[in-house]
């Protein structure tokens, strides 16, 4: 549902207090248009915000959402591909989705906290924890960290509620402490159980073990929790009849601040990479030691432009805590006096990706320089050089596509793509009208590849 938050505050049904239902993909397999966590809101008047499949199943989901608002319950709908029934609702791409549909009260108790956070910065950290089993109408409360206002200490009993929340808003996913959250305890139904302090804390710690990695990692996923005391009965509070709590299923959606992408090199390739990286959602910084180059208007799309020696800038950012495990570093300076000290600094950091532009000849010279500078071979193995996927890219725009493609491929081991660093031979087989390898390699040119244009040949300089 986080994908709808930027549009939520201005959506008319929310502003007017209409009842709504939220439909969310909770599991997906095979080829599907959208990932788990994608949501669509349907108002009682039939207005829609968002999309789940691009049109394959929306009609059936809207119908179920209207029924949910009428009966107050929740539903779990499954959609797949049916080759037997041509008129069945399903996914023509062959995948399968499970969609959870629940009512969301249009009052302040339901949408109030969501509306408050939707009106803020769309890039601020935020997480939602939603209970997706149980039939109670959704009630939303803001979460809080251990010891903050509204939370209770570990092992204490929160005030019992007849209508426990099924949505908890977490303003800071990186610091949220599940074991100290009274709101989470209420969502899990612990307030209605006669648990001692130890059993209560044990249940919350078990929840924290699954919830907090998702929250701190900025990920979406399902968390299934066993009920307290297993599947056996638990005496109700106040000496009532014994209850048999059911397992709890939670959907966690977490959004962290934008990951940073640092572009070193105010040149044609940097100018192309800055807007391409922003399309992937990165917060982009351009850094160059030459003020006259960094100040060019073509770098205005960068979120920050820094002037200074690249390795000093990176060291200062790391010391200030502004570099983390999601940070991407792209070295496009193509000058040993910048590249070597910068890569020496970058390869010692715990970051997601370090890549450097250049031909294979440049790469070999770069590796020799880094070894002489004392960089350990195991750290050199982390370097993506030459940077980019093997797409045959030549112009700055094409190189930007090649680099961003490798960034996407590097996120998963399942990507069936070949990085340039894993190949052999020159990056470009033929210069303009010639037969010699453009990067100075000794491999023969491929006879079926066309000669480079004059424009492409001029761009070859940056790769050699």
């Amino acid at each position: 549902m986080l994908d709808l938050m930027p549009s939520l505050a201005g959506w008319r049904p929310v502003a007017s207090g209409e009842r709504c239902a939220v439909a969310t993909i909770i599991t997906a397999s095979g080829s599907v248009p959208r990932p788990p966590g994608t949501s669509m809101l349907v108002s009682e008047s039939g207005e829609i915000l968002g999309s789940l499949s691009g049109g394959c199943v929306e009609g059936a989901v809207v119908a179920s959402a209207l029924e949910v608002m009428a009966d107050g319950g929740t539903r779990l709908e499954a959609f797949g591909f049916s080759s037997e029934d041509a008129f069945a609702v399903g996914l023509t791409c062959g995948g399968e989705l499970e969609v959870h549909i629940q009512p969301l009260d249009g009052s302040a108790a339901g949408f109030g906290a969501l509306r408050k956070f939707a009106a803020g910065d769309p890039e601020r950290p935020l997480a939602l924890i939603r209970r997706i089993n149980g039939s109670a109408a959704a009630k939303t409360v803001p979460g809080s960290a251990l010891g903050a206002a509204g939370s209770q200490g570990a092992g204490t009993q929160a005030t019992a509620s007849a209508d426990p929340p099924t949505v908890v808003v977490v303003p800071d996913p990186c610091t949220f402490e599940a074991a100290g959250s009274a709101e989470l305890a209420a969502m899990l139904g612990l307030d209605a159980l006669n648990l001692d302090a130890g059993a209560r804390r044990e249940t919350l710690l078990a929840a924290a073990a699954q919830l907090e990695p998702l929250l701190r990692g900025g990920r979406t996923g399902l968390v299934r929790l066993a009920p307290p005391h297993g599947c056996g009965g638990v005496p109700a509070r106040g000496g009532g009849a014994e209850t048999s709590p059911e397992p709890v299923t939670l959907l966690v959606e977490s959004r962290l601040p934008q990951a940073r992408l640092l572009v070193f090199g105010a040149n044609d390739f940097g100018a192309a990479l800055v807007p391409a990286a922003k399309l992937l959602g990165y917060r982009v910084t351009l850094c160059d030691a030459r003020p006259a180059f960094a100040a060019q208007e073509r770098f205005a799309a960068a979120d920050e432009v820094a002037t200074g020696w690249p390795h000093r800038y990176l060291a200062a950012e790391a010391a200030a805590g502004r570099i983390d495990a999601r940070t991407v570093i792209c070295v496009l300076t193509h000058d040993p006096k910048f590249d070597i000290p910068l890569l020496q600094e970058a390869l010692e950091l715990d970051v997601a990706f370090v890549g450097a532009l250049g031909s294979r000849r440049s790469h070999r010279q770069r590796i020799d320089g880094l070894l002489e500078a004392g960089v350990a071979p195991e750290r050199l193995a982390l370097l993506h050089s030459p940077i980019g996927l093997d797409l045959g890219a030549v112009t700055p725009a094409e190189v930007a596509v090649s680099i961003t493609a490798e960034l996407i491929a590097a996120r998963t081991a399942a990507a069936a793509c070949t990085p340039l660093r894993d190949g052999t031979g020159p990056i470009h087989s033929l210069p303009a009208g010639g037969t010699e390898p453009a990067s100075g390699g000794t491999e023969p040119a491929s006879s079926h590849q066309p000669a480079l244009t004059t424009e492409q040949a001029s761009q070859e300089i940056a790769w050699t």
Side-chain angles (χ1 to χ4, degrees):
M1 191 168 171
L2 288 178
D3 56 329
L4 301 181
M5 296 293 277
S7 306
L8 192 61
W11 195 44
R12 189 202 61 78
V14 172
S16 61
E18 282 190 34
R19 290 185 306 148
C20 297
V22 57
T24 304
I25 299 174
I26 60 170
T27 64
S29 61
S31 178
V32 294
R34 301 296 305 277
T38 303
S39 293
M40 180 175 78
L41 281 171
V42 180
S43 75
E44 59 184 329
S45 61
E47 292 189 50
I48 298 170
L49 180 63
S51 173
L52 298 182
S53 70
C56 302
V57 303
E58 269 74 2
V61 172
V62 169
S64 294
L66 294 173
E67 293 174 2
V68 160
M69 283 183 276
D71 61 31
T74 62
R75 297 200 177 182
L76 186 63
E77 302 279 3
F79 300 96
F81 175 73
S82 174
S83 58
E84 291 79 17
D85 185 355
F87 296 98
V89 175
L91 298 171
T92 57
C93 51
E96 295 182 351
L97 296 176
E98 275 192 319
V99 179
H100 178 261
I101 308 169
Q102 71 179 88
L104 193 59
D105 191 348
S107 68
F111 267 127
L114 293 180
R115 189 187 297 115
K116 170 187 172 184
F117 289 103
D121 182 356
E123 303 301 335
R124 67 176 294 175
L126 188 65
L128 300 179
I129 305 174
R130 296 162 54 194
R131 180 166 178 168
I132 62 172
N133 62 343
S135 58
K139 178 182 178 183
T140 308
V141 297
S144 49
L146 179 64
S151 291
Q152 298 196 5
T156 63
Q157 295 289 335
T159 303
S161 170
D163 186 18
T166 56
V167 182
V168 171
V169 180
V170 181
D172 189 351
C174 290
T175 61
F176 181 75
E177 296 283 351
S181 172
E183 295 82 12
L184 179 62
M187 171 183 283
L188 298 178
L190 302 186
D191 296 344
L193 302 176
N194 189 24
L195 299 178
D196 59 34
R200 179 185 175 91
R201 181 165 178 79
E202 181 181 342
T203 301
L204 288 173
L205 287 174
Q210 295 189 60
L211 287 171
E212 291 176 4
L214 292 173
L215 293 170
R216 286 160 172 69
R219 305 197 304 273
T220 295
L222 285 179
V223 170
R224 293 183 172 89
L225 301 172
H229 300 294
C231 298
V234 178
R237 297 187 67 188
E242 187 175 86
T243 62
S244 297
E246 298 179 353
V248 174
T249 302
L250 305 178
L251 175 65
V252 180
E253 301 173 73
S254 179
R255 180 182 70 204
L256 300 181
Q258 289 176 288
R260 295 189 68 188
L261 186 144
L262 308 182
V263 178
F264 293 96
N267 52 37
D268 291 344
F269 295 94
L273 181 58
V274 166
K278 288 184 68 66
L279 285 175
L280 296 184
Y282 288 103
R283 182 171 182 84
V284 180
T285 299
L286 176 87
C287 178
D288 197 286
R290 305 162 298 174
F293 286 83
Q296 296 176 76
E297 181 64 26
R298 60 179 177 164
F299 300 114
D303 295 289
E304 298 106 8
V305 175
T307 302
W309 278 79
H311 70 288
R312 294 173 185 167
Y313 172 79
L314 181 60
E317 291 295 288
R322 292 190 286 267
I323 303 296
D324 61 27
R326 300 181 300 143
T327 300
V328 170
I329 298 172
C330 296
V331 179
L332 313 183
T333 45
H334 205 269
D335 186 334
K337 70 174 178 290
F338 295 128
D339 292 358
I340 299 303
L342 174 57
L343 289 171
Q344 187 177 2
E345 182 73 32
L347 291 171
E348 292 301 321
L349 300 175
D350 179 18
V351 295
F353 184 98
V354 179
L357 183 72
S359 68
R360 302 197 193 285
R361 181 176 62 188
S362 298
H363 171 68
R364 290 191 292 268
Q365 294 171 346
R366 185 181 292 136
I367 292 298
D368 289 342
L370 290 169
L371 287 171
E372 290 177 7
V375 178
E378 60 269 20
R379 302 306 296 178
L380 288 176
L382 304 175
L383 176 61
H384 295 256
S385 173
I387 193 173
L389 291 189
D390 192 358
L391 307 180
V394 177
T395 66
E398 292 170 349
V399 171
V401 172
S402 173
I403 293 172
T404 53
E406 185 177 17
L407 295 180
I408 296 170
R411 297 172 183 172
T412 171
C417 308
T418 303
L420 284 167
R421 70 169 180 172
D422 293 340
T424 59
I427 293 174
H428 308 299
S429 295
L430 291 175
T435 58
E436 294 298 324
S439 64
T442 59
E443 296 81 356
S446 174
S447 61
H448 70 273
Q449 291 183 336
L452 300 178
T453 65
T454 302
E455 178 188 4
Q456 290 173 328
S458 67
Q459 299 298 342
E460 181 69 17
I461 297 172
W463 287 84
T464 58

